[in-house]
Each structure stands twice: as structure tokens, then as C-alpha cells.
Amino acid sequence: MFKKIASLFLAATLMISAAAISVSAAETDETEVGAEVSSEVAAEGSSDVGAEGSSDVSADASSEVSASNKIYFDLDSSGWNNVKTVYCHIWRADGTGDWPAWQTKAERCADEGDGTWSYDLSNTGNDISTSDGKVYCVIFSANTGMQTYNAIMNGSCIGDTLYCTGEEIENPEDSEKTAIVAAWKTNTDCGPEKKITSTGNIVGTAYPDGEDDVTLLATYLIAYYNDTAKLELTQSLLDQLNVSITDVMASVAQKLSDSLSAGSITEDEYNTKLSAIQEVLAGCTDPTTGEEADISALEAAVSTGESASSSGTKVSSGSTSSDGSSSSSSSSGSSSSGSSSSSGSSSSGSSSSSGSSSSGSSSVSSGQETTIFFVFGALMIAAAGVMFLARKRRID
């Protein structure tokens, strides 16, 4: 009788264990199927959209950029004769970067017909984007020796055509020569670079980014700091440009400080140029106030320029360091905001992916724990039953 009862308990235990395993397996399978379906849908959906969508978009975008990564020159507008080859010379207005040398193979343009020649900007070896500001200078030239005057170019000029206006101006570098003015057909805010010639004439209309009338005169004074004849034109230039003496002095100090930091001039050269220019400006009248230059104000302007150079900010009109700091702070805040937004987006994506994976493994783990619990419970019940029957048999 004991054996029969014990056998029944063991059979019941096995049935309970089998049922528990089946239930757990069903939960696990359901979880795994859900996870697989979810991951497959996510993977297929995102890969399809990402691969097809983004690849199509990027392919289209790159082909568009490639197709439109050119600027054009209207040769017919120049009136040049016997032209067999046209060249395009481009460089950054601030002089930075590596660019093709004058009239080398990399600068050759393609004849598009109808008197129009094109230049592929990728031949410069530099990345020129449509979002770039007025940071480039352009000159088109021919094998005959003819050339246009410097034209300011920004990213919006990509696809635009430069043409000769018919106007000739004094060459800023050599007053005995003239330069042919060229302008963009569409981007009228980019045109002939504004400069002060060696004879003190002001030519051109467009500035590179970061330049203005103040920096224009500062550059002139630094270039001719030891040329008495050219320095005598300082008052006339101040009047024509209508700029503040202290603003010009601050800009001179900043430019010289930048050159000193870069190692392009020595400390002796810095002091010599600064003193010479300060002396010239001290003898001028400020056209913005109608008053003679103030020595202490000029010295303060030098300090402002040197501080601006150290902090990497630009001396703005008024030469106030608070304006420069405010501008710098604003720029930094904008950049910080952009980084924060990007980081937040990335973090959000990672978090979502991690959460999904964690949820799936948690459900599987839960199913396994349920199986162990039921099996262990069934064994305990069976053991207790066998012990109870054995004890009862001894008593009987």
C-alpha cells in the first residue's frame, strides 16, 4: 500500500513539474517571439528606411553638390582676345590653407560654350560649402595675361557667374596698373574686394567676413608704417571712411599682437610699428567727434586691442571690451546649445534601444525563475508526502 501511495505522489510531482516547464517554456517562447518580431521589425524598418532613405538622400545630395560645385565666368563680358585657356585662382581671404598655385593645371577652367567657362571647386583640394560666409577671394585670368580684380566669394556664389562690369580701377598693389572689376550676377553683396590702394584711393565694395572700414585702415597703416608719403594720407582716409581714431588704434594693436603671437614679427618690430602708427594717429582729428586725438584714449585703445588679441575676440566699433565679451559669450552660448541638443538626441536614442533590450531579457529571466519555483515546490511536496507515509507505516 505504501509503495502505491508513494508512486502516486511521485507521479503527481512529475505532472506538476511538466506543467510548470510547459507554462514557462510557453512564456519564454512568447517573449522570444515578441523580441524577435520587435527586433526584426525595428531592424528591417530602420535599415530599410535608413539604407534606402538615407542612401537615396545622400546619393541625391552628393550628386547635386557634385553637379553644382562649380562657379562660372562670362568670358564674353571681358572683351579679352585670343583666349585659349581660362584659369580660376581661389584662396581664403585671411591667407590660411593650401591652395593651387597661379595658373597651374588645378586652376584650369572648362569651356562650357557660348563664351562661358566653368571651374570645379573640388580642384582646389578644399571643401567649399554653400553655408560658408564671405571668406574667399576669386580671380579669373587668361593665358594672354589678362585677369579680373579680386572678387569676394561666399558659399552662395556656388553656381553663380562672375562677369566683367566694364569698369577698371587702380590695382591696390601696383598703382601703375589697372584692374578689371568683376561682379556676381546673382549674389550682388559679394563683389570687388574693398581695399585701400598704395596711393591712398579706396576701391571695391565688398569685405571678407570679419573685415570693415576700421580694419581696412588698420591694415593700410601697418603696411606703410614707415612710408611718410603714404602716412600723410591718414587724415584723408579717416574722413573718407568716417571711422574713429581709437577704433583704428585698437585694431592696429590687435593685428600686431596677433602677428607677435604667431611669431611673424618680433617684439622690437611690434613696438616700432605700434609707436609709429600711434604717433601718426595722435596728430589727427577724429571725424566721428570732430575732436583732436586724445593720447590717453589712444593708449587705452592699445590695451583694448591687446586684450582682444589675447582673448581671441574682435575689436568692435566703439572699442569696448564689454561688447567683445558679450559677443563672444553669445557665440559660445549658441554653440553650447547646439552641442547640448545633439547630445540629448543621441542619448535619447541610446536610452530607448537599451530599454527595449533590457525589457526582453527581463521577461525571459522571469519565465526561467517560474519553472525553477514550480519544480522545487513539487519536489518539496513529494518529499514531505513520502516522509509522512513512512512515519505512519512505522506507527502502524
Side-chain angles (χ1 to χ4, degrees):
M1 182 68 180
F2 172 76
K3 289 181 179 181
K4 290 181 178 180
I5 295 174
S7 297
L8 288 173
F9 268 105
L10 289 173
T13 300
L14 291 173
M15 289 178 67
I16 293 172
S17 298
I21 292 171
S22 299
V23 171
S24 176
E27 289 179 358
T28 302
D29 288 344
E30 182 179 355
T31 302
E32 290 177 350
V33 169
E36 287 176 8
V37 170
S38 171
S39 62
E40 286 177 5
V41 169
E44 290 178 6
S46 65
S47 64
D48 287 347
V49 172
E52 294 177 6
S54 72
S55 65
D56 288 346
V57 170
S58 61
D60 291 344
S62 64
S63 64
E64 285 177 7
V65 170
S66 178
S68 63
N69 196 34
K70 296 179 180 180
I71 56 175
Y72 301 84
F73 177 61
D74 183 355
L75 180 61
D76 286 349
S77 67
S78 69
W80 301 343
N81 298 317
N82 303 318
V83 175
K84 294 182 179 179
T85 309
V86 174
Y87 300 90
C88 180
H89 187 61
I90 297 181
W91 71 98
R92 283 189 69 97
D94 61 5
T96 59
D98 294 321
W99 301 85
W102 179 259
Q103 292 193 346
T104 52
K105 184 178 179 180
E107 293 197 336
R108 286 186 180 179
C109 299
D111 188 353
E112 299 285 343
D114 298 326
T116 301
W117 292 67
S118 67
Y119 180 69
D120 188 342
L121 296 172
S122 62
N123 290 338
T124 64
N126 291 274
D127 215 0
I128 299 178
S129 168
T130 54
S131 61
D132 289 347
K134 299 177 183 178
V135 295
Y136 307 102
C137 288
V138 181
I139 294 176
F140 278 98
S141 65
N143 60 293
T144 58
M146 302 299 291
Q147 68 180 69
T148 63
Y149 174 59
N150 304 1
I152 297 298
M153 184 187 95
N154 63 17
S156 299
C157 295
I158 296 176
D160 202 351
T161 301
L162 199 69
Y163 70 98
C164 296
T165 64
E167 179 187 2
E168 291 190 7
I169 58 176
E170 180 186 339
N171 187 312
E173 312 305 329
D174 188 346
S175 61
E176 294 183 359
K177 296 180 180 179
T178 58
I180 300 170
V181 176
W184 298 97
K185 289 187 176 180
T186 302
N187 294 277
T188 55
D189 60 328
C190 291
E193 182 181 10
K194 191 170 184 178
K195 277 192 169 186
I196 301 175
T197 70
S198 57
T199 59
N201 292 319
I202 300 172
V203 298
T205 58
Y207 302 104
D209 282 348
E211 298 295 324
D212 53 29
D213 286 340
V214 169
T215 60
L216 195 69
L217 182 51
T219 299
Y220 174 86
L221 293 174
I222 292 172
Y224 301 113
Y225 76 96
N226 59 351
D227 190 321
T228 304
K230 290 179 173 55
L231 291 178
E232 288 178 350
L233 302 173
T234 303
Q235 183 64 64
S236 174
L237 290 170
L238 283 167
D239 295 338
Q240 290 180 67
L241 296 171
N242 193 35
V243 291
S244 163
I245 289 177
T246 52
D247 284 352
V248 173
M249 190 69 248
S251 182
V252 166
Q254 180 176 17
K255 286 178 176 291
L256 289 175
S257 294
D258 289 343
S259 297
L260 181 62
S261 298
S264 55
I265 62 172
T266 64
E267 190 166 350
D268 286 341
E269 290 175 316
Y270 171 85
N271 291 327
T272 298
K273 292 181 179 183
L274 188 68
S275 297
I277 295 170
Q278 186 171 346
E279 184 178 346
V280 170
L281 290 175
C284 295
T285 300
D286 194 324
T288 63
T289 62
E291 298 177 356
E292 293 182 357
D294 181 270
I295 301 301
S296 59
L298 287 175
E299 292 175 351
V302 170
S303 298
T304 298
E306 291 174 337
S307 298
S309 177
S310 299
S311 62
T313 57
K314 178 181 179 295
V315 176
S316 58
S317 180
S319 300
T320 55
S321 59
S322 60
D323 287 346
S325 302
S326 173
S327 173
S328 174
S329 172
S330 172
S331 172
S332 173
S334 172
S335 173
S336 171
S337 173
S339 301
S340 172
S341 171
S342 171
S343 173
S345 172
S346 172
S347 171
S348 174
S350 301
S351 162
S352 172
S353 170
S354 173
S356 173
S357 172
S358 153
S359 173
S361 63
S362 175
S363 297
V364 173
S365 175
S366 176
Q368 293 172 345
E369 290 172 359
T370 302
T371 300
I372 294 171
F373 174 77
F374 275 111
V375 171
F376 183 74
L379 290 174
M380 291 292 291
I381 293 172
V386 171
M387 289 176 64
F388 173 76
L389 291 175
R391 183 179 179 187
K392 185 175 181 182
R393 185 180 179 185
R394 283 200 303 269
I395 293 174
D396 293 342

